[in-house]
PDB file of all heavy atoms in Angstrom:
ATOM      1  N   GLY D   6      50.217 344.938 137.226  1.00  0.00           N
ATOM      2  CA  GLY D   6      50.003 345.701 136.014  1.00  0.00           C
ATOM      3  C   GLY D   6      50.842 346.960 135.961  1.00  0.00           C
ATOM      4  O   GLY D   6      51.620 347.272 136.917  1.00  0.00           O
ATOM      5  N   ARG D   7      50.763 347.645 134.913  1.00  0.00           N
ATOM      6  CA  ARG D   7      51.576 348.919 134.781  1.00  0.00           C
ATOM      7  C   ARG D   7      50.560 350.013 134.854  1.00  0.00           C
ATOM      8  O   ARG D   7      49.354 349.937 134.524  1.00  0.00           O
ATOM      9  CB  ARG D   7      52.292 348.994 133.498  1.00  0.00           C
ATOM     10  CG  ARG D   7      53.311 347.890 133.460  1.00  0.00           C
ATOM     11  CD  ARG D   7      54.370 348.209 132.316  1.00  0.00           C
ATOM     12  NE  ARG D   7      55.407 347.308 132.273  1.00  0.00           N
ATOM     13  CZ  ARG D   7      56.597 347.556 132.792  1.00  0.00           C
ATOM     14  NH1 ARG D   7      56.771 348.738 133.457  1.00  0.00           N
ATOM     15  NH2 ARG D   7      57.587 346.696 132.732  1.00  0.00           N
ATOM     16  N   LEU D   8      51.014 351.230 135.278  1.00  0.00           N
ATOM     17  CA  LEU D   8      50.191 352.408 135.311  1.00  0.00           C
ATOM     18  C   LEU D   8      49.999 352.893 133.858  1.00  0.00           C
ATOM     19  O   LEU D   8      50.878 352.857 133.012  1.00  0.00           O
ATOM     20  CB  LEU D   8      50.826 353.537 136.037  1.00  0.00           C
ATOM     21  CG  LEU D   8      50.999 353.290 137.579  1.00  0.00           C
ATOM     22  CD1 LEU D   8      51.735 354.548 138.185  1.00  0.00           C
ATOM     23  CD2 LEU D   8      49.645 353.118 138.276  1.00  0.00           C
ATOM     24  N   SER D   9      48.779 353.359 133.582  1.00  0.00           N
ATOM     25  CA  SER D   9      48.493 353.957 132.292  1.00  0.00           C
ATOM     26  C   SER D   9      49.149 355.360 132.253  1.00  0.00           C
ATOM     27  O   SER D   9      49.569 355.888 133.222  1.00  0.00           O
ATOM     28  CB  SER D   9      46.983 354.067 132.052  1.00  0.00           C
ATOM     29  OG  SER D   9      46.450 355.069 132.930  1.00  0.00           O
ATOM     30  N   THR D  10      49.089 355.977 131.026  1.00  0.00           N
ATOM     31  CA  THR D  10      49.676 357.274 130.920  1.00  0.00           C
ATOM     32  C   THR D  10      48.917 358.274 131.768  1.00  0.00           C
ATOM     33  O   THR D  10      49.556 359.155 132.404  1.00  0.00           O
ATOM     34  CB  THR D  10      49.681 357.708 129.440  1.00  0.00           C
ATOM     35  OG1 THR D  10      50.302 356.737 128.658  1.00  0.00           O
ATOM     36  CG2 THR D  10      50.325 359.058 129.237  1.00  0.00           C
ATOM     37  N   ALA D  11      47.624 358.178 131.820  1.00  0.00           N
ATOM     38  CA  ALA D  11      46.789 359.038 132.638  1.00  0.00           C
ATOM     39  C   ALA D  11      47.179 358.917 134.107  1.00  0.00           C
ATOM     40  O   ALA D  11      47.172 359.887 134.891  1.00  0.00           O
ATOM     41  CB  ALA D  11      45.330 358.816 132.418  1.00  0.00           C
ATOM     42  N   GLN D  12      47.330 357.650 134.595  1.00  0.00           N
ATOM     43  CA  GLN D  12      47.683 357.460 135.979  1.00  0.00           C
ATOM     44  C   GLN D  12      49.032 357.982 136.295  1.00  0.00           C
ATOM     45  O   GLN D  12      49.255 358.495 137.363  1.00  0.00           O
ATOM     46  CB  GLN D  12      47.602 355.952 136.230  1.00  0.00           C
ATOM     47  CG  GLN D  12      46.205 355.413 136.371  1.00  0.00           C
ATOM     48  CD  GLN D  12      46.177 353.913 136.431  1.00  0.00           C
ATOM     49  OE1 GLN D  12      47.005 353.263 135.840  1.00  0.00           O
ATOM     50  NE2 GLN D  12      45.220 353.367 137.184  1.00  0.00           N
ATOM     51  N   LYS D  13      50.000 357.847 135.353  1.00  0.00           N
ATOM     52  CA  LYS D  13      51.252 358.366 135.595  1.00  0.00           C
ATOM     53  C   LYS D  13      51.296 359.884 135.676  1.00  0.00           C
ATOM     54  O   LYS D  13      51.948 360.488 136.489  1.00  0.00           O
ATOM     55  CB  LYS D  13      52.219 357.965 134.399  1.00  0.00           C
ATOM     56  CG  LYS D  13      52.628 356.512 134.434  1.00  0.00           C
ATOM     57  CD  LYS D  13      53.581 356.243 133.217  1.00  0.00           C
ATOM     58  CE  LYS D  13      53.791 354.752 133.067  1.00  0.00           C
ATOM     59  NZ  LYS D  13      54.606 354.475 131.884  1.00  0.00           N
ATOM     60  N   ASP D  14      50.430 360.511 134.799  1.00  0.00           N
ATOM     61  CA  ASP D  14      50.344 362.045 134.864  1.00  0.00           C
ATOM     62  C   ASP D  14      49.739 362.431 136.144  1.00  0.00           C
ATOM     63  O   ASP D  14      50.208 363.450 136.764  1.00  0.00           O
ATOM     64  CB  ASP D  14      49.539 362.497 133.690  1.00  0.00           C
ATOM     65  CG  ASP D  14      50.227 362.334 132.292  1.00  0.00           C
ATOM     66  OD1 ASP D  14      51.438 362.081 132.332  1.00  0.00           O
ATOM     67  OD2 ASP D  14      49.470 362.360 131.262  1.00  0.00           O
ATOM     68  N   ALA D  15      48.789 361.744 136.657  1.00  0.00           N
ATOM     69  CA  ALA D  15      48.144 362.078 137.946  1.00  0.00           C
ATOM     70  C   ALA D  15      49.155 361.949 139.047  1.00  0.00           C
ATOM     71  O   ALA D  15      49.121 362.749 140.030  1.00  0.00           O
ATOM     72  CB  ALA D  15      46.904 361.258 138.149  1.00  0.00           C
ATOM     73  N   ALA D  16      49.899 360.917 139.082  1.00  0.00           N
ATOM     74  CA  ALA D  16      50.960 360.611 140.058  1.00  0.00           C
ATOM     75  C   ALA D  16      51.994 361.748 140.063  1.00  0.00           C
ATOM     76  O   ALA D  16      52.466 362.270 141.078  1.00  0.00           O
ATOM     77  CB  ALA D  16      51.641 359.326 139.898  1.00  0.00           C
ATOM     78  N   GLN D  17      52.380 362.182 138.821  1.00  0.00           N
ATOM     79  CA  GLN D  17      53.413 363.284 138.661  1.00  0.00           C
ATOM     80  C   GLN D  17      52.799 364.583 139.237  1.00  0.00           C
ATOM     81  O   GLN D  17      53.447 365.320 139.898  1.00  0.00           O
ATOM     82  CB  GLN D  17      53.774 363.448 137.201  1.00  0.00           C
ATOM     83  CG  GLN D  17      54.691 364.495 136.968  1.00  0.00           C
ATOM     84  CD  GLN D  17      56.037 364.305 137.594  1.00  0.00           C
ATOM     85  OE1 GLN D  17      56.604 363.209 137.362  1.00  0.00           O
ATOM     86  NE2 GLN D  17      56.573 365.223 138.391  1.00  0.00           N
ATOM     87  N   GLN D  18      51.505 364.748 138.898  1.00  0.00           N
ATOM     88  CA  GLN D  18      50.813 366.114 139.436  1.00  0.00           C
ATOM     89  C   GLN D  18      50.742 366.035 140.878  1.00  0.00           C
ATOM     90  O   GLN D  18      51.031 367.041 141.577  1.00  0.00           O
ATOM     91  CB  GLN D  18      49.451 366.221 138.803  1.00  0.00           C
ATOM     92  CG  GLN D  18      48.739 367.450 139.288  1.00  0.00           C
ATOM     93  CD  GLN D  18      47.322 367.460 138.720  1.00  0.00           C
ATOM     94  OE1 GLN D  18      46.873 366.615 137.963  1.00  0.00           O
ATOM     95  NE2 GLN D  18      46.622 368.545 139.096  1.00  0.00           N
ATOM     96  N   ARG D  19      50.466 364.854 141.498  1.00  0.00           N
ATOM     97  CA  ARG D  19      50.314 364.788 142.989  1.00  0.00           C
ATOM     98  C   ARG D  19      51.751 364.988 143.545  1.00  0.00           C
ATOM     99  O   ARG D  19      51.836 365.652 144.651  1.00  0.00           O
ATOM    100  CB  ARG D  19      49.860 363.421 143.346  1.00  0.00           C
ATOM    101  CG  ARG D  19      49.561 363.257 144.779  1.00  0.00           C
ATOM    102  CD  ARG D  19      48.851 361.893 144.956  1.00  0.00           C
ATOM    103  NE  ARG D  19      48.271 361.754 146.309  1.00  0.00           N
ATOM    104  CZ  ARG D  19      48.800 361.040 147.281  1.00  0.00           C
ATOM    105  NH1 ARG D  19      49.947 360.415 147.098  1.00  0.00           N
ATOM    106  NH2 ARG D  19      48.279 361.051 148.467  1.00  0.00           N
ATOM    107  N   ALA D  20      52.832 364.527 142.948  1.00  0.00           N
ATOM    108  CA  ALA D  20      54.186 364.667 143.453  1.00  0.00           C
ATOM    109  C   ALA D  20      54.529 366.258 143.379  1.00  0.00           C
ATOM    110  O   ALA D  20      55.143 366.733 144.260  1.00  0.00           O
ATOM    111  CB  ALA D  20      55.168 363.893 142.650  1.00  0.00           C
ATOM    112  N   ASP D  21      54.143 366.826 142.255  1.00  0.00           N
ATOM    113  CA  ASP D  21      54.497 368.266 142.153  1.00  0.00           C
ATOM    114  C   ASP D  21      53.737 369.104 143.207  1.00  0.00           C
ATOM    115  O   ASP D  21      54.340 370.027 143.690  1.00  0.00           O
ATOM    116  CB  ASP D  21      53.983 368.788 140.765  1.00  0.00           C
ATOM    117  CG  ASP D  21      54.946 368.251 139.626  1.00  0.00           C
ATOM    118  OD1 ASP D  21      56.085 367.832 139.903  1.00  0.00           O
ATOM    119  OD2 ASP D  21      54.468 368.301 138.489  1.00  0.00           O
ATOM    120  N   GLU D  22      52.477 368.774 143.482  1.00  0.00           N
ATOM    121  CA  GLU D  22      51.720 369.517 144.499  1.00  0.00           C
ATOM    122  C   GLU D  22      52.375 369.380 145.885  1.00  0.00           C
ATOM    123  O   GLU D  22      52.232 370.281 146.689  1.00  0.00           O
ATOM    124  CB  GLU D  22      50.317 368.988 144.528  1.00  0.00           C
ATOM    125  CG  GLU D  22      49.512 369.395 143.298  1.00  0.00           C
ATOM    126  CD  GLU D  22      48.139 368.645 143.303  1.00  0.00           C
ATOM    127  OE1 GLU D  22      47.903 367.813 144.145  1.00  0.00           O
ATOM    128  OE2 GLU D  22      47.335 368.875 142.277  1.00  0.00           O
ATOM    129  N   HIS D  23      53.050 368.283 146.131  1.00  0.00           N
ATOM    130  CA  HIS D  23      53.653 368.078 147.424  1.00  0.00           C
ATOM    131  C   HIS D  23      55.098 368.393 147.434  1.00  0.00           C
ATOM    132  O   HIS D  23      55.782 368.071 148.387  1.00  0.00           O
ATOM    133  CB  HIS D  23      53.438 366.531 147.841  1.00  0.00           C
ATOM    134  CG  HIS D  23      52.029 366.316 148.235  1.00  0.00           C
ATOM    135  ND1 HIS D  23      51.101 365.867 147.249  1.00  0.00           N
ATOM    136  CD2 HIS D  23      51.336 366.478 149.370  1.00  0.00           C
ATOM    137  CE1 HIS D  23      49.901 365.713 147.867  1.00  0.00           C
ATOM    138  NE2 HIS D  23      50.053 366.072 149.108  1.00  0.00           N
ATOM    139  N   GLY D  24      55.625 368.986 146.349  1.00  0.00           N
ATOM    140  CA  GLY D  24      56.988 369.472 146.363  1.00  0.00           C
ATOM    141  C   GLY D  24      58.038 368.425 145.998  1.00  0.00           C
ATOM    142  O   GLY D  24      59.212 368.556 146.275  1.00  0.00           O
ATOM    143  N   ARG D  25      57.570 367.292 145.455  1.00  0.00           N
ATOM    144  CA  ARG D  25      58.559 366.263 145.071  1.00  0.00           C
ATOM    145  C   ARG D  25      58.810 366.339 143.618  1.00  0.00           C
ATOM    146  O   ARG D  25      57.959 366.634 142.794  1.00  0.00           O
ATOM    147  CB  ARG D  25      57.992 364.867 145.429  1.00  0.00           C
ATOM    148  CG  ARG D  25      57.908 364.648 146.910  1.00  0.00           C
ATOM    149  CD  ARG D  25      57.459 363.229 147.224  1.00  0.00           C
ATOM    150  NE  ARG D  25      56.158 362.952 146.833  1.00  0.00           N
ATOM    151  CZ  ARG D  25      54.999 363.170 147.562  1.00  0.00           C
ATOM    152  NH1 ARG D  25      55.141 363.699 148.718  1.00  0.00           N
ATOM    153  NH2 ARG D  25      53.815 362.855 147.066  1.00  0.00           N
ATOM    154  N   ARG D  26      59.985 366.082 143.188  1.00  0.00           N
ATOM    155  CA  ARG D  26      60.405 366.158 141.848  1.00  0.00           C
ATOM    156  C   ARG D  26      59.879 365.100 141.001  1.00  0.00           C
ATOM    157  O   ARG D  26      59.522 365.199 139.830  1.00  0.00           O
ATOM    158  CB  ARG D  26      62.015 366.160 141.785  1.00  0.00           C
ATOM    159  CG  ARG D  26      62.537 366.697 140.538  1.00  0.00           C
ATOM    160  CD  ARG D  26      64.048 366.947 140.787  1.00  0.00           C
ATOM    161  NE  ARG D  26      64.709 366.922 139.439  1.00  0.00           N
ATOM    162  CZ  ARG D  26      65.974 366.881 139.317  1.00  0.00           C
ATOM    163  NH1 ARG D  26      66.737 366.913 140.254  1.00  0.00           N
ATOM    164  NH2 ARG D  26      66.496 366.944 138.108  1.00  0.00           N
ATOM    165  N   TYR D  27      59.800 363.814 141.575  1.00  0.00           N
ATOM    166  CA  TYR D  27      59.327 362.655 140.838  1.00  0.00           C
ATOM    167  C   TYR D  27      58.270 361.994 141.733  1.00  0.00           C
ATOM    168  O   TYR D  27      58.363 362.036 142.913  1.00  0.00           O
ATOM    169  CB  TYR D  27      60.543 361.616 140.693  1.00  0.00           C
ATOM    170  CG  TYR D  27      61.676 362.207 139.993  1.00  0.00           C
ATOM    171  CD1 TYR D  27      62.890 362.512 140.560  1.00  0.00           C
ATOM    172  CD2 TYR D  27      61.575 362.407 138.523  1.00  0.00           C
ATOM    173  CE1 TYR D  27      63.938 363.048 139.834  1.00  0.00           C
ATOM    174  CE2 TYR D  27      62.642 362.922 137.823  1.00  0.00           C
ATOM    175  CZ  TYR D  27      63.838 363.194 138.442  1.00  0.00           C
ATOM    176  OH  TYR D  27      64.821 363.703 137.727  1.00  0.00           O
ATOM    177  N   PRO D  28      57.319 361.282 141.117  1.00  0.00           N
ATOM    178  CA  PRO D  28      56.428 360.489 141.923  1.00  0.00           C
ATOM    179  C   PRO D  28      57.105 359.295 142.544  1.00  0.00           C
ATOM    180  O   PRO D  28      57.932 358.677 142.020  1.00  0.00           O
ATOM    181  CB  PRO D  28      55.329 360.029 140.848  1.00  0.00           C
ATOM    182  CG  PRO D  28      55.880 360.328 139.555  1.00  0.00           C
ATOM    183  CD  PRO D  28      57.054 361.243 139.718  1.00  0.00           C
ATOM    184  N   ASN D  29      56.756 359.105 143.754  1.00  0.00           N
ATOM    185  CA  ASN D  29      57.368 358.015 144.540  1.00  0.00           C
ATOM    186  C   ASN D  29      56.378 356.891 144.585  1.00  0.00           C
ATOM    187  O   ASN D  29      55.277 356.943 143.995  1.00  0.00           O
ATOM    188  CB  ASN D  29      57.896 358.499 145.924  1.00  0.00           C
ATOM    189  CG  ASN D  29      56.753 359.031 146.811  1.00  0.00           C
ATOM    190  OD1 ASN D  29      55.553 358.784 146.563  1.00  0.00           O
ATOM    191  ND2 ASN D  29      57.099 359.759 147.810  1.00  0.00           N
ATOM    192  N   LEU D  30      56.706 355.865 145.368  1.00  0.00           N
ATOM    193  CA  LEU D  30      55.872 354.644 145.466  1.00  0.00           C
ATOM    194  C   LEU D  30      54.509 354.962 145.974  1.00  0.00           C
ATOM    195  O   LEU D  30      53.522 354.480 145.477  1.00  0.00           O
ATOM    196  CB  LEU D  30      56.533 353.606 146.381  1.00  0.00           C
ATOM    197  CG  LEU D  30      55.751 352.358 146.738  1.00  0.00           C
ATOM    198  CD1 LEU D  30      55.568 351.525 145.480  1.00  0.00           C
ATOM    199  CD2 LEU D  30      56.466 351.582 147.883  1.00  0.00           C
ATOM    200  N   VAL D  31      54.384 355.925 146.974  1.00  0.00           N
ATOM    201  CA  VAL D  31      53.101 356.215 147.531  1.00  0.00           C
ATOM    202  C   VAL D  31      52.229 356.925 146.458  1.00  0.00           C
ATOM    203  O   VAL D  31      51.085 356.627 146.407  1.00  0.00           O
ATOM    204  CB  VAL D  31      53.307 357.087 148.750  1.00  0.00           C
ATOM    205  CG1 VAL D  31      51.959 357.511 149.395  1.00  0.00           C
ATOM    206  CG2 VAL D  31      54.141 356.342 149.806  1.00  0.00           C
ATOM    207  N   ASP D  32      52.821 357.815 145.688  1.00  0.00           N
ATOM    208  CA  ASP D  32      52.022 358.514 144.598  1.00  0.00           C
ATOM    209  C   ASP D  32      51.465 357.438 143.604  1.00  0.00           C
ATOM    210  O   ASP D  32      50.364 357.533 143.131  1.00  0.00           O
ATOM    211  CB  ASP D  32      52.836 359.555 143.872  1.00  0.00           C
ATOM    212  CG  ASP D  32      53.295 360.677 144.765  1.00  0.00           C
ATOM    213  OD1 ASP D  32      52.472 361.047 145.591  1.00  0.00           O
ATOM    214  OD2 ASP D  32      54.409 361.164 144.617  1.00  0.00           O
ATOM    215  N   ASN D  33      52.373 356.537 143.175  1.00  0.00           N
ATOM    216  CA  ASN D  33      52.030 355.491 142.242  1.00  0.00           C
ATOM    217  C   ASN D  33      50.873 354.591 142.832  1.00  0.00           C
ATOM    218  O   ASN D  33      49.985 354.181 142.115  1.00  0.00           O
ATOM    219  CB  ASN D  33      53.190 354.709 141.821  1.00  0.00           C
ATOM    220  CG  ASN D  33      54.176 355.513 140.988  1.00  0.00           C
ATOM    221  OD1 ASN D  33      53.774 356.525 140.426  1.00  0.00           O
ATOM    222  ND2 ASN D  33      55.437 355.111 140.976  1.00  0.00           N
ATOM    223  N   MET D  34      51.058 354.183 144.086  1.00  0.00           N
ATOM    224  CA  MET D  34      50.047 353.323 144.749  1.00  0.00           C
ATOM    225  C   MET D  34      48.673 354.129 144.839  1.00  0.00           C
ATOM    226  O   MET D  34      47.626 353.498 144.506  1.00  0.00           O
ATOM    227  CB  MET D  34      50.521 353.024 146.179  1.00  0.00           C
ATOM    228  CG  MET D  34      51.590 351.998 146.208  1.00  0.00           C
ATOM    229  SD  MET D  34      52.166 351.705 147.861  1.00  0.00           S
ATOM    230  CE  MET D  34      50.786 351.253 148.743  1.00  0.00           C
ATOM    231  N   TRP D  35      48.728 355.385 145.082  1.00  0.00           N
ATOM    232  CA  TRP D  35      47.540 356.258 145.099  1.00  0.00           C
ATOM    233  C   TRP D  35      46.829 356.265 143.731  1.00  0.00           C
ATOM    234  O   TRP D  35      45.591 356.041 143.640  1.00  0.00           O
ATOM    235  CB  TRP D  35      47.779 357.630 145.563  1.00  0.00           C
ATOM    236  CG  TRP D  35      46.650 358.595 145.443  1.00  0.00           C
ATOM    237  CD1 TRP D  35      45.657 358.764 146.337  1.00  0.00           C
ATOM    238  CD2 TRP D  35      46.370 359.366 144.292  1.00  0.00           C
ATOM    239  NE1 TRP D  35      44.775 359.646 145.787  1.00  0.00           N
ATOM    240  CE2 TRP D  35      45.207 360.115 144.612  1.00  0.00           C
ATOM    241  CE3 TRP D  35      47.022 359.621 143.099  1.00  0.00           C
ATOM    242  CZ2 TRP D  35      44.616 361.023 143.648  1.00  0.00           C
ATOM    243  CZ3 TRP D  35      46.458 360.493 142.233  1.00  0.00           C
ATOM    244  CH2 TRP D  35      45.277 361.166 142.470  1.00  0.00           C
ATOM    245  N   ALA D  36      47.646 356.424 142.664  1.00  0.00           N
ATOM    246  CA  ALA D  36      47.093 356.534 141.356  1.00  0.00           C
ATOM    247  C   ALA D  36      46.441 355.188 140.942  1.00  0.00           C
ATOM    248  O   ALA D  36      45.392 355.150 140.299  1.00  0.00           O
ATOM    249  CB  ALA D  36      48.170 356.988 140.321  1.00  0.00           C
ATOM    250  N   SER D  37      47.144 354.067 141.273  1.00  0.00           N
ATOM    251  CA  SER D  37      46.595 352.751 140.832  1.00  0.00           C
ATOM    252  C   SER D  37      45.419 352.459 141.638  1.00  0.00           C
ATOM    253  O   SER D  37      44.490 351.807 141.104  1.00  0.00           O
ATOM    254  CB  SER D  37      47.714 351.726 141.031  1.00  0.00           C
ATOM    255  OG  SER D  37      47.962 351.502 142.332  1.00  0.00           O
TER     256      SER D  37
END
């Protein structure tokens, strides 16, 4: 499946909190 907009936003926020510019595979796996 694909991540919803809310899941993408949460992955982006998690990446920002950890100093990454973009969410990576681990952030996306966490969100899903």
Side-chain angles (χ1 to χ4, degrees):
R7 294 195 175 265
L8 292 180
S9 69
T10 304
Q12 289 171 323
K13 287 179 189 178
D14 292 341
Q17 179 66 52
Q18 180 182 358
R19 189 171 190 258
D21 289 340
E22 289 171 359
H23 290 91
R25 291 186 294 274
R26 200 167 156 190
Y27 303 106
N29 59 20
L30 174 68
V31 177
D32 295 322
N33 292 338
M34 287 173 56
W35 171 86
S37 68

